[in-house]
Amino acid sequence: MQGTVDGFSYGLTTPVVAYLMACLGGALGLRCTTRSVRNRRSFKPGWLALGATAIGSGIWTMHFVAMMGFSVAEAPISYDRPITFASLAVAIVMVGIGIFIVGYRGATPMALVTGGTITGLGVASMHYLGMAGMRLQGRLEYDTLTVALSVVIAVVAATSALWAAVSIHGFMASLGASLVMGVAVSGMHYTGMAAVSVHLHSAGSAPAGDSPATLLAPLMVGPVIFLLLAGIVVMFDPLLVMGEPDWQRPADRREARPGVPAQRSTSSYAQPASWAADPAPRRGSALRGGLRRDHSHGERADREAFGRDSARSTDW
């Protein structure tokens, strides 16, 4: 017997809230990763770990907020606690592996492909492991092609997010990237849910596991509190909000603008930094100064000789 599946039991409420949670986690993760890459004085492992936890928590929270709107008309649904929270650990660990690869290797094609593939497979694993924690009087069946499409979407979204984390530096640009990331993650989730069909058992006992109401409090409160705390950290760190000031960037990291000559870096007292590193310009300056002094001395001697000549001619 096929069950009647409804993925939007609460209308647009659960999809919108789920999308916002994905955007929040993505925005925090992107800014933390950017902080670790752009500022060499920062504690890179700590910021990368914070970014991975933010993205993983945001995706996981998005998944289960959306699942609150999933229902089967003929059977009640509950969730197994250990499997549910195991999916959170999978999301954080797999996202962390991808972020650490890109964070230390940079936005090279190999690093992006490797990190994006691992992260995308981790997101897909989180989704389907969370689905495996669902308990109802029936079994879940999946369409293979739709599942494959959801995995592809997850890998592409993860690769794009990793590229944005190390390539996009402005706050507004990161905000736009997080919105796009939220669309991609939500699209992956609902594509995976479109592959689901429920085959109900004719008879059976009540499903094991916690009810949705019992699971809701620890499920949502912990990750949401973490995301809020991470958001406070971001708000009170000016480098995360505004990015690294241009005057603090090394000369070799400043962007070259077409048609504008590159500026020489200067040290203190407006003295070119290259003079301090190479004594040759100072020797050249001393030589030019000596030549100017010799020239001035010669002019003074000429004026004195002219004055003596003028005096003799007057006496004559």
Side-chain angles (χ1 to χ4, degrees):
M1 175 182 177
Q2 290 296 118
T4 304
V5 176
D6 184 6
F8 303 93
S9 299
Y10 300 100
L12 294 177
T13 302
T14 50
V16 171
V17 175
Y19 170 74
L20 293 177
M21 296 306 300
C23 292
L24 176 60
L28 296 177
L30 290 178
R31 296 311 297 164
C32 291
T33 306
T34 300
R35 175 70 157 80
S36 69
V37 173
R38 298 291 293 175
N39 193 337
R40 298 178 182 177
R41 297 185 299 271
S42 63
F43 181 56
K44 177 175 286 191
W47 286 110
L48 291 177
L50 181 61
T53 306
I55 294 177
S57 298
I59 294 174
W60 184 79
T61 306
M62 179 278 304
H63 170 80
F64 283 100
V65 167
M67 288 305 297
M68 290 303 159
F70 179 83
S71 64
V72 179
E74 296 82 3
I77 297 176
S78 60
Y79 295 90
D80 181 80
R81 187 187 297 269
I83 296 179
T84 298
F85 287 102
S87 65
L88 173 61
V90 169
I92 294 176
V93 170
M94 298 297 282
V95 171
I97 293 174
I99 283 183
F100 269 79
I101 289 175
V102 175
Y104 280 95
R105 302 297 296 177
T108 62
M110 182 59 67
L112 287 175
V113 171
T114 304
T117 301
I118 294 174
T119 303
L121 292 178
V123 172
S125 299
M126 179 278 302
H127 174 87
Y128 290 106
L129 184 58
M131 294 294 294
M134 183 184 298
R135 298 290 182 262
L136 74 164
Q137 295 179 348
R139 70 174 186 271
L140 301 179
E141 298 176 347
Y142 296 93
D143 179 72
T144 304
L145 292 178
T146 309
V147 169
L149 177 61
S150 69
V151 174
V152 171
I153 293 175
V155 171
V156 173
T159 304
S160 302
L162 293 178
W163 173 85
V166 296
S167 302
I168 295 178
H169 310 307
F171 176 74
M172 296 305 297
S174 295
L175 181 61
S178 66
L179 296 178
V180 175
M181 182 179 175
V183 171
V185 173
S186 299
M188 176 269 162
H189 171 82
Y190 285 105
T191 301
M193 295 307 298
V196 175
S197 60
V198 178
H199 182 77
L200 297 174
H201 301 316
S202 56
S205 58
D210 298 320
S211 65
T214 304
L215 190 60
L216 179 61
L219 184 69
M220 299 300 166
V221 171
V224 169
I225 290 177
F226 168 78
L227 291 174
L228 292 178
L229 292 177
I232 293 174
V233 172
V234 170
M235 287 190 298
F236 281 94
D237 191 329
L239 289 178
L240 282 174
V241 177
M242 302 304 297
E244 186 177 4
D246 184 71
W247 59 270
Q248 288 186 351
R249 299 177 187 172
D252 57 348
R253 290 171 55 194
R254 294 176 183 170
E255 297 180 357
R257 299 179 181 178
V260 179
Q263 298 180 355
R264 294 182 62 184
S265 60
T266 58
S267 58
S268 59
Y269 303 104
Q271 181 183 11
S274 59
W275 288 17
D278 185 6
R282 289 184 292 178
R283 291 196 299 268
S285 300
L287 179 60
R288 288 191 295 271
L291 292 176
R292 285 195 295 269
R293 286 194 296 270
D294 293 342
H295 182 67
S296 300
H297 185 270
E299 289 182 347
R300 187 165 54 252
D302 291 342
R303 285 196 298 270
E304 292 175 355
F306 179 77
R308 290 194 297 269
D309 294 341
S310 299
R312 292 194 190 99
S313 62
T314 303
D315 294 340
W316 177 259

